[in-house]
Amino acid sequence: MNIIPKVVNYELNGKSVLIKFLSLHQNCEFQSFIINNTNLPIVDNEEGISLLCKNNAEEISKHFNKDKMKDAYIIHIENKRIEIFYSCYSGFVNAISTLEQLLLDLALGNEFATVKTGYIYDTSKYSYRGLLVDVSRHYRTVEELKKTIRMMSFYKLNYLHLHLTDDQGWRIEIKKYPKLTNGGNIRNSTQLNLKGKTDSKKYGKGLYYTQDELKSLVKYAKEYGIEIIPEIDVPGHLLGAISQYPELSCSKKRIDVRVEWGVEKIIACASDPNTLRFIEDIIDEVVEIFPCKYFHIGGDEVPKDEWKTCKSCQNKMKELGLKNENELQGWLTDVITEYLNNKGKQAVIWDENLDVPIKANSTITQLWSNKLNKSQSEDWIKKGNKMLISYCHNFYFDYPYGKTPLKKTYLFSSKTIKLKPQYEKNVLGMEAAMWSEWMRDITKFEFMLYPRMQAFSENCWCDNLDSYEGFEDRLKSHLEYLSCEEIIYCPLHICNPSGMNKLKQWKYSRSKTTDTYDEMRLAKLK
């Protein structure tokens, strides 16, 4: 079976069934989704194999532990009938994904698909299987996001993390602060290479999401079993807002939206009541758009230079009895986290926050830069705190393939970050990241995402990975499917470079003058 991610268990008896069409049993659930949202060949007559999708928690509970039931499903294939059982909607969506892949030959234009009769039993390793899409640096249209959502669902990912704000642009409508998307979304030019070369074009006018657009996107994603998590990054990475509301910073000086990538030293003033009021106002509007219980507040890459010279921040530290500026960030994070808790939300923060004391125990840390042998990281997870793994060396898909080949993504394991087996239970899941500094268009976005998405999805779904060679064998038909869906993907000889290609790509990954599209040119896609 060329299923990605591979199924946990199956009992197939060797008998084959040729399938051209499916017909929906009169008691089949979610018929509208099956007809309108899948590639399944549904006919309204008796020529097709009968498909019955049914909620059957009792049957699911016989085969899966309670904590695995949400994503679990069973597929029973007979000569004239296919039955699908699940206990939750997410299990149904996962089962439909597997069924579509079983019939992939039909999607590829073949006359029929051959499947074996028997049973498939499947569920996920992690309950959280996410993808971050950075829409701040380079905007992705709603239709492009919908296309990504469909592919996420096809490969059983279930959380889309939207990085909506940063120093280079604010992309979400906030009605109380209209200048955020009437100035805070626009930068005067864009950095084109690591050396600092920029173009001379303004970027961002009109490029933001209205609240209605995002509500519609949330509803669309829900159909595919995906929840959307917003990220409003504070107190750093906030220049898009500070450019329009300079009173948020310590200096109160007007400054433009940042043109260059990298870390900005101008951050929000931690001691000014205006800062907290602004953040709370933003949260008030954003939580009404996104029903997901998780709310990302960033917290990464926060230079403390301004706080060290800000009299107000220094006085605040004395008032609170804080020893240093790191503790001031910890205090601010606690205040924001508590506000989110009162809204029924759980805060997610990047792992730089492990350098600051966080009192609230209802926070999830997202590890991206450190291994778990770092004392603070290990201490965090030892105490039972939940963690997401987004280890940059394996799961940052803006990295060129010459630096992070497909095989490296696929072969990630807990040992890579020195995670001890006894703490595995505190890993909520994993998330790959599509940072968009160097993704100026949808073709580059797709080229960097596929087939990494397939490798990542299998890694966070399966307890026991296949050999990489086994995965690549199954992947080949999926690359054909990507072509049918008009998705630009990276060819395998570029994904895992060797010989002269490897040398070229190694040089590309270290060049400061490249426009970062070299690998696409090498694949003859640009």
Side-chain angles (χ1 to χ4, degrees):
M1 293 188 297
N2 291 332
I3 308 298
I4 297 176
K6 71 171 188 172
V7 299
V8 171
N9 193 18
Y10 54 89
E11 298 172 2
L12 304 179
N13 57 30
K15 296 180 180 179
S16 296
V17 180
L18 301 183
I19 298 179
K20 291 184 177 181
F21 306 104
L22 298 174
S23 60
L24 298 181
H25 189 281
Q26 62 180 1
N27 294 325
C28 184
E29 298 174 339
F30 306 116
Q31 292 191 26
S32 177
F33 178 88
I34 294 169
I35 293 170
N36 299 317
N37 298 67
T38 74
N39 290 320
L40 295 175
I42 306 299
V43 294
D44 191 20
N45 56 50
E46 296 182 359
E47 290 184 20
I49 302 291
S50 177
L51 174 62
L52 173 62
C53 299
K54 185 179 180 180
N55 188 305
N56 191 335
E58 182 179 355
E59 186 64 24
I60 292 293
S61 67
K62 292 178 184 177
H63 300 274
F64 300 96
N65 294 332
K66 187 176 181 180
D67 63 331
K68 296 292 186 180
M69 286 180 61
K70 182 179 178 182
D71 285 325
Y73 65 90
I74 299 170
I75 299 179
H76 181 203
I77 303 170
E78 299 177 287
N79 286 332
K80 295 292 184 180
R81 183 183 178 102
I82 297 175
E83 289 183 318
I84 290 177
F85 300 131
Y86 43 85
S87 63
C88 297
Y89 183 73
S90 57
F92 160 75
V93 172
N94 293 331
I96 290 297
S97 165
T98 294
L99 183 58
E100 285 191 274
Q101 293 191 35
L102 284 170
L103 304 181
L104 197 61
D105 281 343
L106 297 175
L108 297 178
N110 295 314
E111 185 179 353
F112 58 82
T114 304
V115 297
K116 302 288 187 182
T117 58
Y119 287 88
I120 293 173
Y121 305 93
D122 201 14
T123 194
S124 61
K125 174 183 178 181
Y126 291 127
S127 62
Y128 187 111
R129 305 173 302 281
L131 177 69
L132 177 151
V133 176
D134 170 16
V135 294
S136 171
R137 276 58 174 259
H138 283 100
Y139 175 84
R140 297 270 64 85
T141 68
V142 171
E143 288 306 311
E144 289 168 350
L145 290 177
K146 285 182 176 180
K147 188 176 182 181
T148 303
I149 285 168
R150 292 194 297 272
M151 295 307 297
M152 287 176 64
S153 181
F154 193 72
Y155 292 107
K156 299 183 175 68
L157 302 182
N158 61 349
Y159 285 95
L160 173 60
H161 169 182
L162 288 182
H163 185 78
L164 292 160
T165 67
D166 215 298
D167 296 322
Q168 293 83 10
W170 186 284
R171 305 286 169 220
I172 177 172
E173 175 192 30
I174 302 297
K175 294 180 179 178
K176 191 167 184 178
Y177 299 97
K179 289 191 290 184
L180 292 172
T181 49
N182 189 23
N185 57 319
I186 302 170
R187 58 177 179 263
N188 291 325
S189 60
T190 296
Q191 183 177 346
L192 299 179
N193 63 27
L194 292 173
K195 199 172 183 179
K197 178 185 177 182
T198 62
D199 61 18
S200 56
K201 302 174 185 176
K202 285 194 174 185
Y203 181 89
K205 185 176 182 180
L207 300 184
Y208 66 91
Y209 307 100
T210 67
Q211 294 191 10
D212 286 343
E213 283 177 325
L214 289 171
K215 287 177 182 177
S216 178
L217 189 67
V218 166
K219 183 179 179 181
Y220 182 86
K222 186 179 179 181
E223 284 192 272
Y224 287 89
I226 292 171
E227 295 189 72
I228 302 182
I229 301 170
E231 180 179 358
I232 307 296
D233 210 337
V234 291
H237 289 287
L238 199 62
L239 201 61
I242 294 171
S243 69
Q244 304 304 304
Y245 299 96
E247 63 271 20
L248 294 172
S249 70
C250 294
S251 68
K252 317 299 182 191
K253 293 179 181 178
R254 180 67 187 270
I255 186 168
D256 290 336
V257 175
R258 186 178 172 96
V259 168
E260 302 84 3
W261 314 134
V263 180
E264 173 60 51
K265 290 187 176 182
I266 296 175
I267 62 175
C269 182
S271 60
D272 193 326
N274 285 325
T275 297
L276 195 55
R277 189 177 304 112
F278 173 83
I279 294 170
E280 290 175 350
D281 288 341
I282 300 298
I283 290 172
D284 288 347
E285 293 197 30
V286 174
V287 296
E288 294 300 317
I289 303 169
F290 300 95
C292 182
K293 69 177 179 179
Y294 302 124
F295 193 113
H296 211 300
I297 57 173
D300 59 315
E301 299 174 331
V302 184
K304 309 296 193 305
D305 305 58
E306 287 202 322
W307 290 359
K308 290 177 181 179
T309 59
C310 174
K311 290 182 180 180
S312 177
C313 286
Q314 293 300 310
N315 288 337
K316 189 68 176 181
M317 287 166 52
K318 290 177 183 178
E319 174 192 330
L320 297 171
L322 304 177
K323 298 176 184 177
N324 54 47
E325 290 75 18
N326 281 345
E327 291 193 359
L328 182 60
Q329 185 183 351
W331 167 80
L332 181 62
T333 301
D334 277 339
V335 172
I336 298 169
T337 297
E338 185 176 356
Y339 192 80
L340 283 167
N341 292 163
N342 292 334
K343 296 279 184 178
K345 303 295 183 181
Q346 191 169 13
V348 186
I349 56 177
W350 294 106
D351 66 351
E352 278 93 342
N353 278 290
L354 295 179
D355 288 330
V356 302
I358 304 295
K359 295 177 184 176
N361 59 6
S362 58
T363 307
I364 296 166
T365 290
Q366 189 163 357
L367 181 146
W368 74 275
S369 60
N370 296 316
K371 293 184 178 181
L372 278 171
N373 62 340
K374 296 288 184 76
S375 60
Q376 289 176 315
S377 301
E378 191 173 22
D379 185 57
W380 177 268
I381 206 164
K382 272 184 178 179
K383 289 179 179 178
N385 296 305
K386 294 296 182 183
M387 183 173 282
L388 288 174
I389 296 173
S390 294
Y391 194 49
C392 60
H393 300 293
N394 298 74
F395 298 145
Y396 270 26
F397 295 167
D398 56 311
Y399 286 11
Y401 288 98
K403 182 176 182 180
T404 303
L406 183 65
K407 190 173 184 178
K408 187 174 181 179
T409 295
Y410 186 77
L411 294 179
F412 173 88
S413 74
S414 298
K415 293 179 182 178
T416 308
I417 57 169
K418 302 186 183 299
L419 175 65
K420 295 178 181 177
Q422 62 264 40
Y423 304 134
E424 181 71 46
K425 64 182 182 294
N426 294 328
V427 176
L428 181 64
M430 304 199 301
E431 185 174 280
M434 291 291 289
W435 297 108
S436 69
E437 286 94 334
W438 309 110
M439 299 182 196
R440 296 190 288 277
D441 49 58
I442 188 62
T443 56
K444 177 76 180 293
F445 177 88
E446 291 182 347
F447 181 84
M448 303 305 284
L449 179 56
Y450 306 103
R452 282 166 161 166
M453 179 190 282
Q454 288 90 333
F456 172 75
S457 74
E458 183 147 311
N459 201 304
C460 55
W461 182 269
C462 301
D463 272 310
N464 298 307
L465 289 177
D466 203 348
S467 66
Y468 176 77
E469 291 72 22
F471 164 73
E472 192 172 286
D473 283 343
R474 284 180 285 120
L475 177 63
K476 289 173 183 175
S477 62
H478 288 260
L479 298 183
E480 289 185 59
Y481 176 68
L482 293 179
S483 294
C484 290
E485 292 292 310
E486 298 182 336
I487 289 173
I488 302 297
Y489 64 87
C490 182
L492 289 174
H493 69 286
I494 305 296
C495 287
N496 291 308
S498 61
M500 185 57 69
N501 275 354
K502 185 173 183 178
L503 179 60
K504 288 179 180 179
Q505 289 175 246
W506 181 85
K507 289 182 177 179
Y508 296 156
S509 69
R510 285 155 178 77
S511 171
K512 290 189 177 296
T513 59
T514 177
D515 65 355
T516 77
Y517 281 69
D518 301 283
E519 290 183 328
M520 290 190 71
R521 283 188 282 269
L522 196 61
K524 296 182 171 57
L525 292 170
K526 185 175 173 64

